[in-house]
Amino acid sequence: MSELLNILNTPEFQSKATIKRQLRQLGIVAGDALMVHSSLKSMGWIAGGAQAVVEALIETLTERGTLIMPAQSADNSDPVYWMEPPVPENWHQPIREQLPAFDPYFSGLRGMGKIVECFHRHPMTSRSPHPSHSFIAQGSQAAHWMIEQPIDDSFGKQSPLAKMLQADVKILFIGVGFDSCTALHYAEFVQENRSTSPQGAAILKDGQRIWQTYDCVDMDSDRFPEIAKAFPGEISEGLLGQAKTRLVEMKPLVEFGIDWLSKHRVL
């Protein structure tokens, strides 16, 4: 039924060729490094769906570019924080003991969308090793950017984001808002007065499945639209399929976010 409604609400035929043409109109070219946040549903009906979108992105950037998407696995976390849905308290310890260890190829994603799930399945896609906050990438910088992600510094100075900030990465939002902007978590992680909460995840260590506890920086993506609204740099707008898009340079946005958060502390 949802597929039928998408067709009925799409005024013109759309395909991979449509998406590639629109990407060029947005100014995305071969060799670009591009982080994508997306909602397939917002794009309307496309022949080939998520596969067509992923192929369009890969073919536009070419092997000289790098395509990146957040690939978080929120299920691999301490069940005490689970709220959608919550689980009975007497299940918490059995979950910690029995949850399968993170596997970059096998572990699923949660709430990331169909485009990300499709990109994860591509055989040339690399995934970073964090059990809850991983990224996936393909292209010239993928192996370098994805190789390391410390469990207690998933978005900080030793994370893939830190490496991306040394390059010219663009962030593309397809039918989603700045509350999805994973790069701005870096601005939270490098704050001097950041707070943390105890967290845990199932990982493999020396070939054995263990429950690893760690301190995770407290994050609040609800503040990210405020940062984007105050950002003095350029945020260009356009269309991809039927979805409204926004395109922004990662480094100036994150640098502004670091300063903005330092001046707008939550008391």
Side-chain angles (χ1 to χ4, degrees), residues 185-202:
H185 287 308
Y186 181 90
E188 296 179 307
F189 268 64
V190 299
Q191 294 298 311
E192 290 184 7
N193 298 306
R194 67 187 192 180
S195 61
T196 63
S197 298
Q199 186 54 272

Side-chain angles (χ1 to χ4, degrees), residues 139-190:
S140 61
Q141 296 295 324
H144 173 55
W145 289 348
M146 297 297 108
I147 194 169
E148 180 185 24
Q149 194 174 15
I151 193 167
D152 58 352
D153 193 36
S154 55
F155 297 132
K157 293 182 178 180
Q158 300 179 72
S159 73
L161 288 176
K163 293 178 181 178
M164 294 179 212
L165 285 168
Q166 303 304 310
D168 296 322
V169 178
K170 299 175 182 178
I171 307 175
L172 177 64
F173 302 89
I174 307 172
V176 297
F178 275 88
D179 54 339
S180 300
C181 187
T182 304
L184 282 173
H185 287 308
Y186 181 90
E188 296 179 307
F189 268 64
V190 299

Side-chain angles (χ1 to χ4, degrees), residues 69-88:
M69 299 184 194
Q72 299 177 33
S73 305
D75 287 340
N76 196 347
S77 60
D78 197 309
V80 72
Y81 300 113
W82 294 2
M83 293 297 154
E84 296 180 1
V87 293

Side-chain angles (χ1 to χ4, degrees), residues 55-74:
E55 289 184 1
L57 288 163
I58 292 172
E59 291 172 16
T60 298
L61 298 176
T62 74
E63 69 277 0
R64 294 189 290 111
T66 307
L67 177 61
I68 315 110
M69 299 184 194
Q72 299 177 33
S73 305

Side-chain angles (χ1 to χ4, degrees), residues 15-233:
S15 66
K16 180 170 72 173
T18 310
I19 304 305
K20 291 177 73 172
R21 182 180 70 251
Q22 291 177 313
L23 286 168
R24 291 193 297 270
Q25 291 170 346
L26 291 172
I28 296 167
V29 298
D32 276 348
L34 185 70
M35 182 185 295
V36 174
H37 301 271
S38 59
S39 161
L40 180 64
K41 183 179 179 180
S42 71
M43 300 179 74
W45 188 85
I46 301 167
Q51 180 180 344
V53 176
V54 171
E55 289 184 1
L57 288 163
I58 292 172
E59 291 172 16
T60 298
L61 298 176
T62 74
E63 69 277 0
R64 294 189 290 111
T66 307
L67 177 61
I68 315 110
M69 299 184 194
Q72 299 177 33
S73 305
D75 287 340
N76 196 347
S77 60
D78 197 309
V80 72
Y81 300 113
W82 294 2
M83 293 297 154
E84 296 180 1
V87 293
E89 187 174 349
N90 63 343
W91 290 16
H92 290 180
Q93 189 55 33
I95 288 172
R96 296 183 189 109
E97 294 171 355
Q98 299 298 327
L99 197 69
F102 173 76
D103 182 293
Y105 306 102
F106 196 34
S107 294
L109 320 176
R110 180 170 181 177
M112 305 309 296
K114 291 184 178 180
I115 292 172
V116 184
E117 291 173 356
C118 180
F119 186 43
H120 179 218
R121 293 193 296 269
H122 195 290
M124 297 300 291
T125 296
S126 300
R127 189 174 186 181
S128 63
H130 198 279
S132 303
H133 300 151
S134 66
F135 293 87
I136 48 179
Q138 185 181 141
S140 61
Q141 296 295 324
H144 173 55
W145 289 348
M146 297 297 108
I147 194 169
E148 180 185 24
Q149 194 174 15
I151 193 167
D152 58 352
D153 193 36
S154 55
F155 297 132
K157 293 182 178 180
Q158 300 179 72
S159 73
L161 288 176
K163 293 178 181 178
M164 294 179 212
L165 285 168
Q166 303 304 310
D168 296 322
V169 178
K170 299 175 182 178
I171 307 175
L172 177 64
F173 302 89
I174 307 172
V176 297
F178 275 88
D179 54 339
S180 300
C181 187
T182 304
L184 282 173
H185 287 308
Y186 181 90
E188 296 179 307
F189 268 64
V190 299
Q191 294 298 311
E192 290 184 7
N193 298 306
R194 67 187 192 180
S195 61
T196 63
S197 298
Q199 186 54 272
I203 65 169
L204 285 176
K205 186 174 183 179
D206 299 326
Q208 298 295 315
R209 183 264 180 214
I210 66 166
W211 181 256
Q212 179 68 59
T213 58
Y214 63 101
D215 289 328
C216 183
V217 172
D218 294 323
M219 296 174 279
D220 183 7
S221 59
D222 290 343
R223 306 191 78 197
F224 294 172
E226 295 181 68
I227 296 174
K229 185 176 181 180
F231 178 57

